Amino acid sequence: MTEAILLVGGKGTRLRPLTVHTPKPMVPAAGVPFLTHQLARARAAGVEHIVLATSYLAEVFEPYFGDGSALGLHLEYVTEEEPLGTGGAIRNVASRLHSAPDDPVLIFNGDILTGLDIRALVRTHETTGADVSLHLTKVTDPRAYGLVPTDGTGRVTAFLEKPQTPEEIVTDQINAGAYVFRRSIIDTIPAGRPVSVERETFPDLLSAGAHLQGMVDSTYWLDLGTPAAFVRGSADLVLGRAPSPAVPGRCGDRLILPTARVAPDAKLTGGTVVGEGAFVAEGARVFGSTILPGAVIEPGAVITDSLIGTRARVGERSILTGTVIGDGAVIGADNELKEGARVWCDARIPAGAVRFSPDL
């Protein structure tokens, strides 16, 4: 296997305001755009040619990654004029593939952080003679996902929508967002219209008698679709819990990029990242958070499980827990923001304007 398709066209609406100016795969995780980790892992598994299926803010990708040679890859970019869904995006880039009809083509979503053994998925595909092979993972609560039951040999028997009742939970296996397609199967996807592989392509193939194989790999897996998950994924990369050859430094409690400045008595723990040109002032405490390039954390601020956008500023003694601060936003001194708060890009919160406790 030498080819892959990477689906990076989504708008990332659940991640806003992080994705107002930046497509989701380009939001930094562990110091580099998240997409870098996926590309590096694909290359380590033997992939040489990757076609990026882009749509939202498509112009951002190529200036950063170029032809991919810096990563040892050959990258191409195909932009959808109108969003085509997962299946439509795959079909839309098919003409850029060089594989023969029976060759395997790796396909993966641009918002999944995983320790998947990519080579093992390809071996499973080839040894079983499958038309499509799917990475499956087991989750404790599968109600938010589509279920993928398999028989004793791992062959997929059904695709079930999100279960609504306990009786509908017939398996804890879910679609984990990485596939190997037989090249000729890609050409059977309808062209020029939106298609969902999950809701249309896979069920239709199953109904037609195609061989769909599941491989359960329950190593690290995280859907980075929400701000809380994205922050956790970045921290896990820094801590070494999630594998990636692209982390720009040694794994540990914190990652400070070369041009960042951190006061000697500031405390950074829990997989915190401080981006290029950012500044963390004296007495600040930052746990499990991402400070993007150019952001400023003023003296005595306490930040936990949060993401601070590019060039944003958090004022003195402000306390942020489980929050997202958009690019260029300013949080004045002595504010308190709690779980789920999202401050939009370039917003201004005056000193002492927001708090959840009577005293700070």
Side-chain angles (χ1 to χ4, degrees), residues 232-317:
R232 187 163 92 248
S234 177
D236 285 346
L237 284 162
V238 174
L239 292 166
R241 294 172 181 166
S244 171
V247 175
R250 295 172 58 185
C251 291
D253 222 24
R254 64 186 193 175
L255 174 65
I256 302 173
L257 275 291
T259 59
R261 295 180 298 133
V262 177
D265 66 342
K267 187 175 183 181
L268 310 178
T269 57
T272 287
V273 181
V274 184
E276 297 276 2
F279 174 58
V280 180
E282 58 271 14
R285 289 179 288 152
V286 187
F287 177 85
S289 298
T290 295
I291 313 299
L292 291 187
V296 174
I297 311 302
E298 295 186 358
V302 180
I303 299 173
T304 304
D305 299 335
S306 298
L307 193 147
I308 312 302
T310 301
R311 302 178 312 282
R313 178 179 291 267
V314 177
E316 296 183 56
R317 298 175 302 279

Side-chain angles (χ1 to χ4, degrees), residues 60-96:
V60 172
F61 295 93
E62 189 167 4
Y64 187 91
F65 290 106
D67 63 2
S69 56
L71 292 170
L73 291 163
H74 173 214
L75 298 182
E76 292 189 66
Y77 307 83
V78 177
T79 300
E80 302 165 25
E81 298 304 321
E82 297 291 336
L84 294 172
T86 48
I90 293 167
R91 182 66 177 86
N92 191 51
V93 307
S95 64
R96 301 295 185 93

